[in-house]
mmCIF file of all heavy atoms in Angstrom:
data_model
loop_
_atom_site.group_PDB
_atom_site.id
_atom_site.type_symbol
_atom_site.label_atom_id
_atom_site.label_comp_id
_atom_site.label_asym_id
_atom_site.label_seq_id
_atom_site.Cartn_x
_atom_site.Cartn_y
_atom_site.Cartn_z
ATOM 1 N N ALA A 1 77.520 -32.899 -27.389
ATOM 2 C CA ALA A 1 77.285 -33.045 -25.953
ATOM 3 C C ALA A 1 77.909 -34.325 -25.421
ATOM 4 O O ALA A 1 78.296 -34.395 -24.253
ATOM 5 C CB ALA A 1 75.789 -33.018 -25.659
ATOM 6 N N LEU A 2 78.023 -35.353 -26.270
ATOM 7 C CA LEU A 2 78.695 -36.583 -25.851
ATOM 8 C C LEU A 2 80.209 -36.417 -25.847
ATOM 9 O O LEU A 2 80.899 -36.925 -24.961
ATOM 10 C CB LEU A 2 78.300 -37.737 -26.784
ATOM 11 C CG LEU A 2 76.860 -38.247 -26.692
ATOM 12 C CD1 LEU A 2 76.628 -39.345 -27.713
ATOM 13 C CD2 LEU A 2 76.554 -38.765 -25.298
ATOM 14 N N LEU A 3 80.732 -35.687 -26.851
ATOM 15 C CA LEU A 3 82.173 -35.505 -26.955
ATOM 16 C C LEU A 3 82.705 -34.542 -25.897
ATOM 17 O O LEU A 3 83.833 -34.689 -25.423
ATOM 18 C CB LEU A 3 82.525 -34.992 -28.361
ATOM 19 C CG LEU A 3 82.122 -35.917 -29.520
ATOM 20 C CD1 LEU A 3 82.449 -35.261 -30.855
ATOM 21 C CD2 LEU A 3 82.813 -37.268 -29.399
ATOM 22 N N ASN A 4 81.882 -33.547 -25.523
ATOM 23 C CA ASN A 4 82.313 -32.554 -24.539
ATOM 24 C C ASN A 4 81.163 -32.260 -23.583
ATOM 25 O O ASN A 4 80.556 -31.190 -23.627
ATOM 26 C CB ASN A 4 82.773 -31.280 -25.252
ATOM 27 C CG ASN A 4 83.351 -30.261 -24.279
ATOM 28 O OD1 ASN A 4 83.766 -30.594 -23.159
ATOM 29 N ND2 ASN A 4 83.361 -28.998 -24.687
ATOM 30 N N PRO A 5 80.830 -33.209 -22.713
ATOM 31 C CA PRO A 5 79.646 -33.020 -21.853
ATOM 32 C C PRO A 5 79.789 -31.874 -20.858
ATOM 33 O O PRO A 5 78.798 -31.246 -20.490
ATOM 34 C CB PRO A 5 79.511 -34.369 -21.145
ATOM 35 C CG PRO A 5 80.875 -34.974 -21.198
ATOM 36 C CD PRO A 5 81.490 -34.502 -22.480
ATOM 37 N N PHE A 6 81.006 -31.590 -20.402
ATOM 38 C CA PHE A 6 81.184 -30.547 -19.392
ATOM 39 C C PHE A 6 81.249 -29.146 -20.004
ATOM 40 O O PHE A 6 81.187 -28.164 -19.283
ATOM 41 C CB PHE A 6 82.454 -30.817 -18.574
ATOM 42 C CG PHE A 6 82.414 -32.106 -17.816
ATOM 43 C CD1 PHE A 6 83.104 -33.216 -18.282
ATOM 44 C CD2 PHE A 6 81.665 -32.224 -16.656
ATOM 45 C CE1 PHE A 6 83.064 -34.414 -17.591
ATOM 46 C CE2 PHE A 6 81.618 -33.421 -15.962
ATOM 47 C CZ PHE A 6 82.322 -34.516 -16.429
ATOM 48 N N GLY A 7 81.357 -29.080 -21.318
ATOM 49 C CA GLY A 7 81.386 -27.773 -21.969
ATOM 50 C C GLY A 7 80.041 -27.342 -22.507
ATOM 51 O O GLY A 7 79.965 -26.406 -23.316
ATOM 52 N N GLN A 8 78.982 -27.998 -22.091
ATOM 53 C CA GLN A 8 77.643 -27.702 -22.578
ATOM 54 C C GLN A 8 76.877 -26.854 -21.562
ATOM 55 O O GLN A 8 77.112 -26.936 -20.355
ATOM 56 C CB GLN A 8 76.874 -29.003 -22.852
ATOM 57 C CG GLN A 8 77.522 -29.894 -23.883
ATOM 58 C CD GLN A 8 77.531 -29.287 -25.257
ATOM 59 O OE1 GLN A 8 76.561 -28.659 -25.677
ATOM 60 N NE2 GLN A 8 78.637 -29.460 -25.971
ATOM 61 N N ASP A 9 75.947 -26.100 -22.087
ATOM 62 C CA ASP A 9 75.089 -25.270 -21.253
ATOM 63 C C ASP A 9 73.790 -26.040 -20.972
ATOM 64 O O ASP A 9 72.750 -25.789 -21.576
ATOM 65 C CB ASP A 9 74.799 -23.936 -21.941
ATOM 66 C CG ASP A 9 73.987 -22.992 -21.051
ATOM 67 O OD1 ASP A 9 73.982 -23.233 -19.824
ATOM 68 O OD2 ASP A 9 73.376 -22.042 -21.579
ATOM 69 N N TRP A 10 73.882 -27.010 -20.074
ATOM 70 C CA TRP A 10 72.732 -27.841 -19.764
ATOM 71 C C TRP A 10 71.658 -27.012 -19.047
ATOM 72 O O TRP A 10 71.968 -26.140 -18.245
ATOM 73 C CB TRP A 10 73.123 -29.023 -18.885
ATOM 74 C CG TRP A 10 74.161 -29.913 -19.497
ATOM 75 C CD1 TRP A 10 75.475 -30.005 -19.149
ATOM 76 C CD2 TRP A 10 73.973 -30.839 -20.569
ATOM 77 N NE1 TRP A 10 76.116 -30.941 -19.925
ATOM 78 C CE2 TRP A 10 75.219 -31.467 -20.810
ATOM 79 C CE3 TRP A 10 72.874 -31.200 -21.359
ATOM 80 C CZ2 TRP A 10 75.406 -32.424 -21.793
ATOM 81 C CZ3 TRP A 10 73.055 -32.159 -22.333
ATOM 82 C CH2 TRP A 10 74.291 -32.760 -22.553
ATOM 83 N N THR A 11 70.413 -27.296 -19.344
ATOM 84 C CA THR A 11 69.324 -26.522 -18.767
ATOM 85 C C THR A 11 68.056 -27.360 -18.688
ATOM 86 O O THR A 11 67.868 -28.315 -19.470
ATOM 87 C CB THR A 11 69.049 -25.260 -19.599
ATOM 88 O OG1 THR A 11 67.960 -24.533 -19.012
ATOM 89 C CG2 THR A 11 68.698 -25.610 -21.035
ATOM 90 N N LEU A 12 67.194 -27.009 -17.744
ATOM 91 C CA LEU A 12 65.867 -27.616 -17.619
ATOM 92 C C LEU A 12 64.775 -26.681 -18.121
ATOM 93 O O LEU A 12 63.585 -26.984 -17.978
ATOM 94 C CB LEU A 12 65.583 -27.983 -16.158
ATOM 95 C CG LEU A 12 66.445 -29.096 -15.545
ATOM 96 C CD1 LEU A 12 66.133 -29.245 -14.054
ATOM 97 C CD2 LEU A 12 66.216 -30.418 -16.268
ATOM 98 N N ASP A 13 65.181 -25.554 -18.710
ATOM 99 C CA ASP A 13 64.209 -24.551 -19.152
ATOM 100 C C ASP A 13 63.277 -25.093 -20.225
ATOM 101 O O ASP A 13 62.128 -24.650 -20.334
ATOM 102 C CB ASP A 13 64.926 -23.306 -19.663
ATOM 103 C CG ASP A 13 65.634 -22.552 -18.542
ATOM 104 O OD1 ASP A 13 65.305 -22.805 -17.366
ATOM 105 O OD2 ASP A 13 66.527 -21.729 -18.847
ATOM 106 N N ASN A 14 63.760 -26.034 -21.043
ATOM 107 C CA ASN A 14 62.908 -26.579 -22.093
ATOM 108 C C ASN A 14 61.704 -27.308 -21.502
ATOM 109 O O ASN A 14 60.564 -27.134 -21.954
ATOM 110 C CB ASN A 14 63.706 -27.536 -22.980
ATOM 111 C CG ASN A 14 64.848 -26.851 -23.689
ATOM 112 O OD1 ASN A 14 64.814 -25.643 -23.911
ATOM 113 N ND2 ASN A 14 65.869 -27.611 -24.048
ATOM 114 N N TYR A 15 61.940 -28.112 -20.492
ATOM 115 C CA TYR A 15 60.839 -28.841 -19.849
ATOM 116 C C TYR A 15 59.929 -27.881 -19.087
ATOM 117 O O TYR A 15 58.701 -28.047 -19.097
ATOM 118 C CB TYR A 15 61.393 -29.907 -18.911
ATOM 119 C CG TYR A 15 62.019 -31.072 -19.631
ATOM 120 C CD1 TYR A 15 63.385 -31.102 -19.892
ATOM 121 C CD2 TYR A 15 61.247 -32.146 -20.061
ATOM 122 C CE1 TYR A 15 63.961 -32.173 -20.569
ATOM 123 C CE2 TYR A 15 61.817 -33.228 -20.722
ATOM 124 C CZ TYR A 15 63.181 -33.227 -20.974
ATOM 125 O OH TYR A 15 63.740 -34.282 -21.645
ATOM 126 N N VAL A 16 60.533 -26.893 -18.446
ATOM 127 C CA VAL A 16 59.722 -25.897 -17.744
ATOM 128 C C VAL A 16 58.855 -25.133 -18.736
ATOM 129 O O VAL A 16 57.668 -24.872 -18.490
ATOM 130 C CB VAL A 16 60.626 -24.939 -16.945
ATOM 131 C CG1 VAL A 16 59.796 -23.826 -16.321
ATOM 132 C CG2 VAL A 16 61.380 -25.696 -15.857
ATOM 133 N N GLY A 17 59.440 -24.772 -19.886
ATOM 134 C CA GLY A 17 58.675 -24.040 -20.893
ATOM 135 C C GLY A 17 57.543 -24.846 -21.478
ATOM 136 O O GLY A 17 56.462 -24.318 -21.756
ATOM 137 N N VAL A 18 57.778 -26.144 -21.660
ATOM 138 C CA VAL A 18 56.726 -27.011 -22.204
ATOM 139 C C VAL A 18 55.577 -27.163 -21.210
ATOM 140 O O VAL A 18 54.398 -27.057 -21.571
ATOM 141 C CB VAL A 18 57.307 -28.387 -22.574
ATOM 142 C CG1 VAL A 18 56.183 -29.383 -22.865
ATOM 143 C CG2 VAL A 18 58.211 -28.265 -23.786
ATOM 144 N N LEU A 19 55.905 -27.391 -19.943
ATOM 145 C CA LEU A 19 54.875 -27.637 -18.939
ATOM 146 C C LEU A 19 54.135 -26.369 -18.536
ATOM 147 O O LEU A 19 52.942 -26.410 -18.211
ATOM 148 C CB LEU A 19 55.502 -28.281 -17.701
ATOM 149 C CG LEU A 19 56.096 -29.677 -17.911
ATOM 150 C CD1 LEU A 19 56.776 -30.164 -16.653
ATOM 151 C CD2 LEU A 19 55.018 -30.655 -18.345
ATOM 152 N N GLN A 20 54.815 -25.225 -18.568
ATOM 153 C CA GLN A 20 54.179 -23.984 -18.134
ATOM 154 C C GLN A 20 53.617 -23.169 -19.302
ATOM 155 O O GLN A 20 52.614 -22.482 -19.138
ATOM 156 C CB GLN A 20 55.189 -23.123 -17.370
ATOM 157 C CG GLN A 20 55.614 -23.708 -16.032
ATOM 158 C CD GLN A 20 56.553 -22.794 -15.272
ATOM 159 O OE1 GLN A 20 57.027 -21.785 -15.801
ATOM 160 N NE2 GLN A 20 56.828 -23.141 -14.015
ATOM 161 N N GLY A 21 54.257 -23.243 -20.448
ATOM 162 C CA GLY A 21 53.843 -22.381 -21.551
ATOM 163 C C GLY A 21 52.851 -22.998 -22.505
ATOM 164 O O GLY A 21 52.495 -22.393 -23.500
ATOM 165 N N SER A 22 52.421 -24.189 -22.249
ATOM 166 C CA SER A 22 51.444 -24.841 -23.125
ATOM 167 C C SER A 22 50.487 -25.672 -22.279
ATOM 168 O O SER A 22 50.694 -25.856 -21.081
ATOM 169 C CB SER A 22 52.148 -25.745 -24.155
ATOM 170 O OG SER A 22 52.823 -26.801 -23.496
ATOM 171 N N ASP A 23 49.465 -26.181 -22.911
ATOM 172 C CA ASP A 23 48.480 -27.013 -22.218
ATOM 173 C C ASP A 23 48.847 -28.489 -22.363
ATOM 174 O O ASP A 23 48.002 -29.330 -22.683
ATOM 175 C CB ASP A 23 47.080 -26.744 -22.772
ATOM 176 C CG ASP A 23 46.624 -25.326 -22.508
ATOM 177 O OD1 ASP A 23 47.029 -24.772 -21.477
ATOM 178 O OD2 ASP A 23 45.883 -24.774 -23.333
ATOM 179 N N MET A 24 50.120 -28.793 -22.130
ATOM 180 C CA MET A 24 50.585 -30.158 -22.329
ATOM 181 C C MET A 24 49.888 -31.130 -21.384
ATOM 182 O O MET A 24 49.581 -32.265 -21.767
ATOM 183 C CB MET A 24 52.096 -30.222 -22.134
ATOM 184 C CG MET A 24 52.729 -31.537 -22.543
ATOM 185 S SD MET A 24 52.615 -31.842 -24.324
ATOM 186 C CE MET A 24 53.732 -30.571 -24.938
ATOM 187 N N ALA A 25 49.636 -30.713 -20.151
ATOM 188 C CA ALA A 25 48.957 -31.608 -19.211
ATOM 189 C C ALA A 25 47.551 -31.943 -19.696
ATOM 190 O O ALA A 25 47.114 -33.100 -19.632
ATOM 191 C CB ALA A 25 48.912 -30.967 -17.828
ATOM 192 N N ILE A 26 46.839 -30.940 -20.200
ATOM 193 C CA ILE A 26 45.505 -31.194 -20.749
ATOM 194 C C ILE A 26 45.605 -32.066 -21.989
ATOM 195 O O ILE A 26 44.760 -32.939 -22.226
ATOM 196 C CB ILE A 26 44.806 -29.854 -21.071
ATOM 197 C CG1 ILE A 26 44.644 -29.034 -19.793
ATOM 198 C CG2 ILE A 26 43.456 -30.098 -21.741
ATOM 199 C CD1 ILE A 26 44.026 -27.672 -20.017
ATOM 200 N N GLY A 27 46.654 -31.839 -22.796
ATOM 201 C CA GLY A 27 46.851 -32.671 -23.981
ATOM 202 C C GLY A 27 47.090 -34.126 -23.622
ATOM 203 O O GLY A 27 46.586 -35.031 -24.301
ATOM 204 N N PHE A 28 47.850 -34.368 -22.548
ATOM 205 C CA PHE A 28 48.059 -35.738 -22.086
ATOM 206 C C PHE A 28 46.737 -36.376 -21.696
ATOM 207 O O PHE A 28 46.446 -37.528 -22.050
ATOM 208 C CB PHE A 28 49.015 -35.738 -20.897
ATOM 209 C CG PHE A 28 50.449 -35.986 -21.276
ATOM 210 C CD1 PHE A 28 51.342 -34.930 -21.373
ATOM 211 C CD2 PHE A 28 50.902 -37.259 -21.526
ATOM 212 C CE1 PHE A 28 52.665 -35.148 -21.714
ATOM 213 C CE2 PHE A 28 52.224 -37.500 -21.862
ATOM 214 C CZ PHE A 28 53.112 -36.433 -21.958
ATOM 215 N N LEU A 29 45.920 -35.650 -20.949
ATOM 216 C CA LEU A 29 44.636 -36.184 -20.520
ATOM 217 C C LEU A 29 43.734 -36.461 -21.716
ATOM 218 O O LEU A 29 43.077 -37.510 -21.780
ATOM 219 C CB LEU A 29 43.965 -35.201 -19.558
ATOM 220 C CG LEU A 29 42.610 -35.625 -19.000
ATOM 221 C CD1 LEU A 29 42.726 -36.930 -18.228
ATOM 222 C CD2 LEU A 29 42.030 -34.527 -18.110
ATOM 223 N N ASN A 30 43.721 -35.531 -22.676
ATOM 224 C CA ASN A 30 42.909 -35.743 -23.882
ATOM 225 C C ASN A 30 43.384 -36.966 -24.660
ATOM 226 O O ASN A 30 42.560 -37.734 -25.193
ATOM 227 C CB ASN A 30 42.971 -34.507 -24.779
ATOM 228 C CG ASN A 30 42.255 -33.313 -24.177
ATOM 229 O OD1 ASN A 30 41.375 -33.457 -23.335
ATOM 230 N ND2 ASN A 30 42.634 -32.121 -24.591
ATOM 231 N N THR A 31 44.697 -37.164 -24.734
ATOM 232 C CA THR A 31 45.222 -38.303 -25.477
ATOM 233 C C THR A 31 44.850 -39.614 -24.809
ATOM 234 O O THR A 31 44.548 -40.604 -25.475
ATOM 235 C CB THR A 31 46.749 -38.193 -25.604
ATOM 236 O OG1 THR A 31 47.100 -36.893 -26.087
ATOM 237 C CG2 THR A 31 47.278 -39.227 -26.575
ATOM 238 N N ILE A 32 44.870 -39.640 -23.478
ATOM 239 C CA ILE A 32 44.448 -40.845 -22.756
ATOM 240 C C ILE A 32 42.969 -41.123 -23.001
ATOM 241 O O ILE A 32 42.562 -42.268 -23.227
ATOM 242 C CB ILE A 32 44.739 -40.691 -21.255
ATOM 243 C CG1 ILE A 32 46.243 -40.623 -21.011
ATOM 244 C CG2 ILE A 32 44.125 -41.844 -20.461
ATOM 245 C CD1 ILE A 32 46.618 -40.334 -19.572
ATOM 246 N N VAL A 33 42.153 -40.047 -22.975
ATOM 247 C CA VAL A 33 40.715 -40.200 -23.230
ATOM 248 C C VAL A 33 40.477 -40.736 -24.637
ATOM 249 O O VAL A 33 39.536 -41.502 -24.877
ATOM 250 C CB VAL A 33 39.999 -38.852 -23.022
ATOM 251 C CG1 VAL A 33 38.542 -38.936 -23.462
ATOM 252 C CG2 VAL A 33 40.083 -38.430 -21.562
ATOM 253 N N VAL A 34 41.324 -40.351 -25.589
ATOM 254 C CA VAL A 34 41.191 -40.840 -26.958
ATOM 255 C C VAL A 34 41.725 -42.263 -27.089
ATOM 256 O O VAL A 34 41.084 -43.132 -27.692
ATOM 257 C CB VAL A 34 41.924 -39.901 -27.945
ATOM 258 C CG1 VAL A 34 42.033 -40.549 -29.330
ATOM 259 C CG2 VAL A 34 41.202 -38.573 -28.047
ATOM 260 N N ALA A 35 42.906 -42.515 -26.517
ATOM 261 C CA ALA A 35 43.617 -43.762 -26.795
ATOM 262 C C ALA A 35 42.983 -44.977 -26.122
ATOM 263 O O ALA A 35 42.950 -46.063 -26.722
ATOM 264 C CB ALA A 35 45.079 -43.630 -26.361
ATOM 265 N N VAL A 36 42.495 -44.835 -24.909
ATOM 266 C CA VAL A 36 41.980 -46.009 -24.189
ATOM 267 C C VAL A 36 40.728 -46.580 -24.867
ATOM 268 O O VAL A 36 40.698 -47.785 -25.200
ATOM 269 C CB VAL A 36 41.721 -45.658 -22.711
ATOM 270 C CG1 VAL A 36 41.018 -46.814 -22.008
ATOM 271 C CG2 VAL A 36 43.042 -45.337 -22.003
ATOM 272 N N PRO A 37 39.669 -45.787 -25.114
ATOM 273 C CA PRO A 37 38.519 -46.378 -25.822
ATOM 274 C C PRO A 37 38.860 -46.801 -27.247
ATOM 275 O O PRO A 37 38.339 -47.811 -27.732
ATOM 276 C CB PRO A 37 37.484 -45.241 -25.817
ATOM 277 C CG PRO A 37 37.901 -44.337 -24.710
ATOM 278 C CD PRO A 37 39.382 -44.405 -24.674
ATOM 279 N N ALA A 38 39.738 -46.031 -27.931
ATOM 280 C CA ALA A 38 40.100 -46.374 -29.302
ATOM 281 C C ALA A 38 40.972 -47.618 -29.369
ATOM 282 O O ALA A 38 41.222 -48.126 -30.465
ATOM 283 C CB ALA A 38 40.832 -45.204 -29.959
ATOM 284 N N THR A 39 41.427 -48.108 -28.242
ATOM 285 C CA THR A 39 42.151 -49.376 -28.182
ATOM 286 C C THR A 39 41.226 -50.517 -27.794
ATOM 287 O O THR A 39 41.282 -51.608 -28.381
ATOM 288 C CB THR A 39 43.307 -49.290 -27.170
ATOM 289 O OG1 THR A 39 44.213 -48.260 -27.569
ATOM 290 C CG2 THR A 39 44.046 -50.604 -27.079
#
C-alpha cells in the first residue's frame, strides 16, 4: 500500500463492520469501568 497507494482498494468497511457487527461500544465502556478503578 505504501509502494502503490493508488492501486489499492481502500475501504471503510472494516471500521463499519467492527462498530455495527459487534458490541465494541459496550466493550469500550466496560473497559473504562474496569480500568479506572483498577488504576
Side-chain angles (χ1 to χ4, degrees):
L2 290 178
L3 300 177
N4 185 21
F6 298 102
Q8 300 294 320
D9 184 19
W10 301 106
T11 179
L12 293 174
D13 292 343
N14 298 335
Y15 289 94
V16 175
V18 168
L19 295 176
Q20 292 183 351
S22 64
D23 296 328
M24 190 66 69
I26 299 177
F28 265 101
L29 181 60
N30 291 337
T31 310
I32 294 174
V33 172
V34 168
V36 173
T39 300

